Amino acid sequence: MASMAIGFFVVTFLLQYLLLASVDAKPSHCQSKCGNITIPYPFGIGEECSIDKWFTVYCNTTFHPPKPFLAGGEVELIEVSQYEIRIKTYVFSSCNIGKNTITFNQNYMSTFVGVVFEETPFTLSSKNMLIVLGCNTVVRPTRSFGTSDYMSACVSTCGDGMKNGLCFGNGCCENSIPQGLKAFYIEKIGRIQNYDYITSLQACDSTIIVEKEKYSFNVSDLSDISSLGNNPMVLNWAVGNQSCQNAERERKTFACKVNSHCYDSVDGNGYLCDCTNGFEGNPYLGCKGLVLGFMFLLVGSSWLCLITKKRKLLKLKQKFFQQNGGLLLKQQISSLKGGTESSKIFTGEELKLATNNYDQHRILGQGGYGTVYKGILPDLTIVAIKKSKIIDGSQLGQFINEIIILTQISHRNIVKLLGCCLETELPLLVYEFVSNGSLSQHLQKKSGAMSYLCWEDRLRIAAETAGALSYLHSAHSIPIIHRDVKSANILLDNNYTAKVADFGISRLTPLDETHINTLVQGTFGYLDPEYLRTSQLTEKSDVYSFGVVLVELLTGEKPVSFERSEAWLRILLLQ
Ligand SMILES: *[C@@H]1O[C@H](CO)[C@@H](O)[C@H](O)[C@H]1NC(C)=O
Ligand SMILES: *[C@@H]1O[C@H](CO)[C@@H](O)[C@H](O)[C@H]1NC(C)=O
Ligand SMILES: *[C@@H]1O[C@H](CO)[C@@H](O)[C@H](O)[C@H]1NC(C)=O
Ligand SMILES: *[C@@H]1O[C@H](CO)[C@@H](O)[C@H](O)[C@H]1NC(C)=O
């Protein structure tokens, strides 16, 4: 489920990246710089590189470095940023040259002039200031041409204490400009005092709208206006002439691209775009999540890593399954039909959990066959988990053999196989847990003996074992020879009920044969001498071994012991 969620996440990101690649509002050949001024989209150098004519920049290369202009070359652009531009300001000025000559600069041909941005995407920013320079000048601004919609007037006179940087009416007057003006007209009312103070030949009245932060009054500006025009005027811009709500409806012309959101211009008309949180870039072209992009890479790559790791593990498991005869088992099971309802294929993980990662304290027994652990399944069933030692193919056959046989038989005196696990390196068998150890442990005379078995118990155990062997030999359609009947393979439960275990070397005898030639296998001391000599295995071999168990039950002696007299040993071997 988690990997699916991550997968979805990755797909979403991939989709966004693909979308990003496909969204190209601006042709690739477009220059992004004019001189050393960056022109980001929706502005662009040339009409096809900009969103519309208002954003089209003309880059005049006769300057060094080249200079960008808006409005077909009228307005020099200083800077373009996310929602504002800076242009060179207009200077409205008139200068006295000599006692009675006045010249006006080209912007100031009448007494009523202004800056007008109606019908354009631009508005005057409140970052600007109205600055009036002069010695007896009154300027009255209005919002609309020829009306009496006045804003506060600016009055500048000249007197003692005129100082650079001070603009409080002494040679310089300043007034704030409200946000969002589309037009700003200035009306020069006229002079309010005589010219006595001005001594220089050239004295000018000037009106400019400049960025507050950038302009500081310089007394020399009263006589030399040449540098005033270099001051910036700040304009806000917006795209379109509708609100976001309306613009979003027309996906074709909607300017906000992938991973961006729209917000309405504070100045009324049009809207702007901004990258959504976590993304960066140009919202009019599509934003990229730098941090998220990195995360995407990280998550994506770790996800891939996880997948390949899982695949490898799966392959390994499959390899082990095959190596451990899983296919053989499957094949055998399918050929036996219906014998496997009770047995189960466990996963390696389940058994690892059940044995507390094969804890040393859970070991029930160890031997040539491998190690047996006590395991607790999630439903609290206690089981014995046999971790086989087998590694080569011949032993593998034996292992699979045991599974096949055990899955087919069901007898109260035979240990029940609950399932197996073949996906681990060493195959695992899961048996019912028989709590009271093996018969041999109970028969040991030495101090290590678990308990003393009374004669009734011994007789019953003998009968139960005989019953189990008889069942193996005859009750089943194919006779099963245990081949390793011994007291150590007869387990006892809490009620001392016998459970025959360890079918590691059992053999199924085909019906038409009464015996089979095999490599002699079994435990020394329990081996049928006839079988030892001829290698011919019959169910009588189990009967012989059972006889040895009976002697054990009667005498409590081990079949082979170096503590006993040699004579006893010789008799046993020569039989
Ligand atoms: C722009 O370019 C000129 C000349 O190449 C250079 O002197 C000036 O410092 C540059 N201005 C900026 C802001 O990079
Ligand atoms: C480019 O600038 C030069 C120098 O100011 C000017 O003469 C010329 O007209 C400008 N070109 C355009 C197309 O405005
Ligand atoms: C005032 O302007 C003059 C001439 O442009 C210049 O030399 C001077 O450094 C300026 N002073 C200040 C304080 O900016
Ligand atoms: C809004 O802009 C569109 C296209 O830029 C133009 O066709 C339309 O006339 C404009 N509407 C108004 C009210 O300015």
Tab-separated table of all heavy atoms in Angstrom, residues 199-236:
chain	number	residue	atom	x	y	z
A	199	THR	N	20.487	83.432	-7.533
A	199	THR	CA	21.582	84.245	-8.013
A	199	THR	C	22.154	83.733	-9.325
A	199	THR	O	22.685	84.470	-10.126
A	199	THR	CB	22.718	84.337	-6.975
A	199	THR	OG1	23.016	83.009	-6.576
A	199	THR	CG2	22.302	85.188	-5.792
A	200	SER	N	22.021	82.415	-9.476
A	200	SER	CA	22.616	81.862	-10.693
A	200	SER	C	21.776	82.246	-11.895
A	200	SER	O	20.593	82.552	-11.767
A	200	SER	CB	22.716	80.352	-10.593
A	200	SER	OG	21.457	79.801	-10.791
A	201	LEU	N	22.374	82.228	-13.048
A	201	LEU	CA	21.670	82.593	-14.272
A	201	LEU	C	20.596	81.577	-14.608
A	201	LEU	O	19.524	81.884	-15.042
A	201	LEU	CB	22.665	82.688	-15.430
A	201	LEU	CG	23.312	84.049	-15.614
A	201	LEU	CD1	24.301	84.023	-16.770
A	201	LEU	CD2	22.258	85.130	-15.879
A	202	GLN	N	20.967	80.309	-14.433
A	202	GLN	CA	20.008	79.274	-14.780
A	202	GLN	C	19.329	78.753	-13.512
A	202	GLN	O	19.977	78.246	-12.602
A	202	GLN	CB	20.709	78.113	-15.489
A	202	GLN	CG	19.735	77.149	-16.103
A	202	GLN	CD	20.452	76.003	-16.790
A	202	GLN	OE1	21.485	75.556	-16.307
A	202	GLN	NE2	19.909	75.561	-17.903
A	203	ALA	N	18.029	78.907	-13.424
A	203	ALA	CA	17.272	78.361	-12.300
A	203	ALA	C	16.057	77.641	-12.839
A	203	ALA	O	15.345	78.166	-13.689
A	203	ALA	CB	16.853	79.467	-11.352
A	204	CYS	N	15.829	76.413	-12.369
A	204	CYS	CA	14.765	75.587	-12.965
A	204	CYS	C	13.708	75.210	-11.948
A	204	CYS	O	13.991	75.015	-10.765
A	204	CYS	CB	15.371	74.313	-13.531
A	204	CYS	SG	16.615	74.591	-14.804
A	205	ASP	N	12.483	75.092	-12.445
A	205	ASP	CA	11.405	74.425	-11.699
A	205	ASP	C	11.266	73.042	-12.321
A	205	ASP	O	11.160	72.944	-13.543
A	205	ASP	CB	10.055	75.136	-11.895
A	205	ASP	CG	10.080	76.579	-11.424
A	205	ASP	OD1	10.772	76.845	-10.428
A	205	ASP	OD2	9.416	77.397	-12.069
A	206	SER	N	11.254	72.032	-11.494
A	206	SER	CA	11.107	70.678	-12.051
A	206	SER	C	10.096	69.894	-11.245
A	206	SER	O	9.974	70.074	-10.029
A	206	SER	CB	12.431	69.912	-12.019
A	206	SER	OG	13.479	70.705	-12.479
A	207	THR	N	9.401	69.039	-11.937
A	207	THR	CA	8.499	68.103	-11.260
A	207	THR	C	8.839	66.692	-11.772
A	207	THR	O	8.915	66.475	-12.988
A	207	THR	CB	7.028	68.423	-11.574
A	207	THR	OG1	6.773	69.779	-11.169
A	207	THR	CG2	6.092	67.483	-10.848
A	208	ILE	N	9.051	65.793	-10.838
A	208	ILE	CA	9.321	64.397	-11.228
A	208	ILE	C	8.538	63.447	-10.316
A	208	ILE	O	8.201	63.804	-9.180
A	208	ILE	CB	10.834	64.033	-11.154
A	208	ILE	CG1	11.436	64.433	-9.804
A	208	ILE	CG2	11.617	64.624	-12.321
A	208	ILE	CD1	12.845	63.929	-9.573
A	209	ILE	N	8.260	62.273	-10.850
A	209	ILE	CA	7.699	61.204	-10.015
A	209	ILE	C	8.789	60.144	-9.936
A	209	ILE	O	9.154	59.556	-10.962
A	209	ILE	CB	6.406	60.645	-10.628
A	209	ILE	CG1	5.348	61.753	-10.657
A	209	ILE	CG2	5.896	59.456	-9.844
A	209	ILE	CD1	4.179	61.440	-11.543
A	210	VAL	N	9.336	59.950	-8.747
A	210	VAL	CA	10.478	59.032	-8.614
A	210	VAL	C	10.267	58.072	-7.447
A	210	VAL	O	9.476	58.328	-6.527
A	210	VAL	CB	11.811	59.795	-8.371
A	210	VAL	CG1	12.168	60.638	-9.561
A	210	VAL	CG2	11.761	60.600	-7.103
A	211	GLU	N	11.023	57.001	-7.500
A	211	GLU	CA	10.998	56.046	-6.395
A	211	GLU	C	11.600	56.736	-5.170
A	211	GLU	O	12.719	57.244	-5.212
A	211	GLU	CB	11.821	54.803	-6.767
A	211	GLU	CG	11.688	53.704	-5.772
A	211	GLU	CD	12.395	52.428	-6.212
A	211	GLU	OE1	13.016	52.422	-7.292
A	211	GLU	OE2	12.308	51.448	-5.469
A	212	LYS	N	10.801	56.742	-4.096
A	212	LYS	CA	11.180	57.393	-2.844
A	212	LYS	C	12.614	57.087	-2.419
A	212	LYS	O	13.393	57.974	-2.119
A	212	LYS	CB	10.274	56.865	-1.724
A	212	LYS	CG	9.171	57.787	-1.308
A	212	LYS	CD	8.401	57.183	-0.153
A	212	LYS	CE	7.206	56.391	-0.644
A	212	LYS	NZ	6.337	55.868	0.424
A	213	GLU	N	12.879	55.810	-2.380
A	213	GLU	CA	14.146	55.330	-1.838
A	213	GLU	C	15.351	55.809	-2.654
A	213	GLU	O	16.459	55.870	-2.129
A	213	GLU	CB	14.178	53.793	-1.856
A	213	GLU	CG	12.950	53.139	-1.271
A	213	GLU	CD	13.053	53.048	0.240
A	213	GLU	OE1	14.038	52.440	0.696
A	213	GLU	OE2	12.170	53.599	0.932
A	214	LYS	N	15.088	56.066	-3.927
A	214	LYS	CA	16.227	56.295	-4.816
A	214	LYS	C	16.593	57.774	-4.950
A	214	LYS	O	17.693	58.108	-5.373
A	214	LYS	CB	15.941	55.712	-6.217
A	214	LYS	CG	15.744	54.208	-6.231
A	214	LYS	CD	17.060	53.478	-6.038
A	214	LYS	CE	16.893	52.024	-5.654
A	214	LYS	NZ	16.278	51.227	-6.725
A	215	TYR	N	15.634	58.663	-4.626
A	215	TYR	CA	15.942	60.083	-4.844
A	215	TYR	C	16.200	60.801	-3.529
A	215	TYR	O	15.474	60.650	-2.555
A	215	TYR	CB	14.817	60.801	-5.587
A	215	TYR	CG	15.147	62.265	-5.781
A	215	TYR	CD1	16.096	62.667	-6.733
A	215	TYR	CD2	14.578	63.251	-4.969
A	215	TYR	CE1	16.447	64.013	-6.879
A	215	TYR	CE2	14.926	64.589	-5.118
A	215	TYR	CZ	15.865	64.945	-6.079
A	215	TYR	OH	16.225	66.274	-6.209
A	216	SER	N	17.279	61.579	-3.565
A	216	SER	CA	17.586	62.429	-2.426
A	216	SER	C	17.897	63.830	-2.977
A	216	SER	O	18.611	63.971	-3.973
A	216	SER	CB	18.772	61.806	-1.677
A	216	SER	OG	19.470	62.784	-0.978
A	217	PHE	N	17.286	64.832	-2.349
A	217	PHE	CA	17.419	66.209	-2.886
A	217	PHE	C	18.878	66.653	-2.909
A	217	PHE	O	19.615	66.483	-1.951
A	217	PHE	CB	16.580	67.174	-2.044
A	217	PHE	CG	16.741	68.608	-2.408
A	217	PHE	CD1	16.530	69.039	-3.730
A	217	PHE	CD2	17.118	69.561	-1.450
A	217	PHE	CE1	16.676	70.381	-4.068
A	217	PHE	CE2	17.263	70.893	-1.793
A	217	PHE	CZ	17.045	71.301	-3.106
A	218	ASN	N	19.240	67.201	-4.057
A	218	ASN	CA	20.579	67.767	-4.226
A	218	ASN	C	20.379	69.213	-4.690
A	218	ASN	O	19.701	69.458	-5.688
A	218	ASN	CB	21.314	66.955	-5.293
A	218	ASN	CG	22.770	67.363	-5.424
A	218	ASN	OD1	23.121	68.535	-5.184
A	218	ASN	ND2	23.619	66.436	-5.841
A	219	VAL	N	20.919	70.124	-3.942
A	219	VAL	CA	20.721	71.560	-4.224
A	219	VAL	C	21.065	71.881	-5.685
A	219	VAL	O	20.419	72.721	-6.326
A	219	VAL	CB	21.550	72.437	-3.253
A	219	VAL	CG1	21.410	73.923	-3.594
A	219	VAL	CG2	21.115	72.186	-1.815
A	220	SER	N	22.056	71.172	-6.219
A	220	SER	CA	22.463	71.434	-7.609
A	220	SER	C	21.361	71.115	-8.618
A	220	SER	O	21.384	71.579	-9.750
A	220	SER	CB	23.746	70.672	-7.944
A	220	SER	OG	23.470	69.304	-8.076
A	221	ASP	N	20.342	70.278	-8.171
A	221	ASP	CA	19.227	69.949	-9.075
A	221	ASP	C	18.375	71.182	-9.401
A	221	ASP	O	17.575	71.155	-10.342
A	221	ASP	CB	18.319	68.883	-8.449
A	221	ASP	CG	18.990	67.514	-8.399
A	221	ASP	OD1	19.961	67.301	-9.180
A	221	ASP	OD2	18.578	66.671	-7.589
A	222	LEU	N	18.541	72.255	-8.644
A	222	LEU	CA	17.786	73.483	-8.910
A	222	LEU	C	18.333	74.220	-10.134
A	222	LEU	O	17.621	74.996	-10.761
A	222	LEU	CB	17.837	74.405	-7.687
A	222	LEU	CG	17.003	73.952	-6.475
A	222	LEU	CD1	17.272	74.854	-5.270
A	222	LEU	CD2	15.513	73.939	-6.814
A	223	SER	N	19.609	73.972	-10.426
A	223	SER	CA	20.181	74.661	-11.585
A	223	SER	C	20.543	73.713	-12.720
A	223	SER	O	20.588	74.092	-13.881
A	223	SER	CB	21.416	75.473	-11.154
A	223	SER	OG	22.272	74.652	-10.386
A	224	ASP	N	20.764	72.431	-12.379
A	224	ASP	CA	21.158	71.470	-13.422
A	224	ASP	C	20.218	70.269	-13.364
A	224	ASP	O	20.267	69.461	-12.422
A	224	ASP	CB	22.616	71.044	-13.163
A	224	ASP	CG	23.068	69.982	-14.132
A	224	ASP	OD1	22.349	69.718	-15.133
A	224	ASP	OD2	24.147	69.391	-13.893
A	225	ILE	N	19.384	70.167	-14.383
A	225	ILE	CA	18.361	69.107	-14.364
A	225	ILE	C	18.784	67.847	-15.120
A	225	ILE	O	18.028	66.883	-15.216
A	225	ILE	CB	17.037	69.624	-14.964
A	225	ILE	CG1	17.247	70.050	-16.420
A	225	ILE	CG2	16.437	70.742	-14.110
A	225	ILE	CD1	15.985	70.109	-17.219
A	226	SER	N	20.015	67.822	-15.614
A	226	SER	CA	20.410	66.745	-16.540
A	226	SER	C	20.371	65.352	-15.926
A	226	SER	O	20.112	64.373	-16.621
A	226	SER	CB	21.804	67.024	-17.094
A	226	SER	OG	22.718	67.076	-16.017
A	227	SER	N	20.613	65.258	-14.606
A	227	SER	CA	20.661	63.903	-14.032
A	227	SER	C	19.318	63.442	-13.491
A	227	SER	O	19.163	62.285	-13.112
A	227	SER	CB	21.739	63.851	-12.947
A	227	SER	OG	21.358	64.714	-11.900
A	228	LEU	N	18.333	64.368	-13.430
A	228	LEU	CA	17.027	63.999	-12.845
A	228	LEU	C	16.368	62.848	-13.584
A	228	LEU	O	15.736	61.967	-12.981
A	228	LEU	CB	16.086	65.210	-12.866
A	228	LEU	CG	16.303	66.276	-11.808
A	228	LEU	CD1	15.292	67.417	-11.986
A	228	LEU	CD2	16.167	65.689	-10.407
A	229	GLY	N	16.531	62.831	-14.890
A	229	GLY	CA	15.880	61.822	-15.739
A	229	GLY	C	16.408	60.418	-15.535
A	229	GLY	O	15.819	59.450	-16.029
A	230	ASN	N	17.509	60.285	-14.814
A	230	ASN	CA	18.046	58.939	-14.575
A	230	ASN	C	17.382	58.248	-13.383
A	230	ASN	O	17.645	57.077	-13.129
A	230	ASN	CB	19.551	59.010	-14.332
A	230	ASN	CG	20.291	59.394	-15.598
A	230	ASN	OD1	19.854	59.036	-16.706
A	230	ASN	ND2	21.379	60.128	-15.473
A	231	ASN	N	16.550	59.017	-12.663
A	231	ASN	CA	15.891	58.421	-11.501
A	231	ASN	C	14.770	57.481	-11.948
A	231	ASN	O	14.103	57.716	-12.949
A	231	ASN	CB	15.326	59.519	-10.607
A	231	ASN	CG	16.439	60.272	-9.891
A	231	ASN	OD1	17.190	59.697	-9.127
A	231	ASN	ND2	16.579	61.562	-10.199
A	232	PRO	N	14.575	56.413	-11.178
A	232	PRO	CA	13.563	55.433	-11.591
A	232	PRO	C	12.157	55.778	-11.117
A	232	PRO	O	11.969	56.350	-10.050
A	232	PRO	CB	14.051	54.146	-10.936
A	232	PRO	CG	14.791	54.585	-9.727
A	232	PRO	CD	15.364	55.949	-10.013
A	233	MET	N	11.181	55.409	-11.923
A	233	MET	CA	9.766	55.466	-11.553
A	233	MET	C	9.310	54.019	-11.491
A	233	MET	O	9.646	53.222	-12.370
A	233	MET	CB	8.995	56.233	-12.628
A	233	MET	CG	7.502	56.352	-12.367
A	233	MET	SD	6.621	56.896	-13.848
A	233	MET	CE	6.968	58.622	-13.831
A	234	VAL	N	8.564	53.669	-10.451
A	234	VAL	CA	8.128	52.275	-10.283
A	234	VAL	C	6.706	52.113	-10.775
A	234	VAL	O	5.824	52.883	-10.395
A	234	VAL	CB	8.226	51.840	-8.802
A	234	VAL	CG1	7.883	50.362	-8.668
A	234	VAL	CG2	9.612	52.126	-8.246
A	235	LEU	N	6.495	51.127	-11.614
A	235	LEU	CA	5.149	50.817	-12.099
A	235	LEU	C	4.814	49.366	-11.738
A	235	LEU	O	5.671	48.486	-11.812
A	235	LEU	CB	5.074	50.972	-13.630
A	235	LEU	CG	5.460	52.315	-14.224
A	235	LEU	CD1	5.336	52.258	-15.752
A	235	LEU	CD2	4.580	53.431	-13.671
A	236	ASN	N	3.582	49.161	-11.319
A	236	ASN	CA	3.118	47.783	-11.127
A	236	ASN	C	2.550	47.285	-12.441
A	236	ASN	O	2.017	48.059	-13.219
A	236	ASN	CB	2.031	47.734	-10.057
A	236	ASN	CG	2.579	48.004	-8.676
A	236	ASN	OD1	3.695	47.591	-8.362
A	236	ASN	ND2	1.816	48.714	-7.865
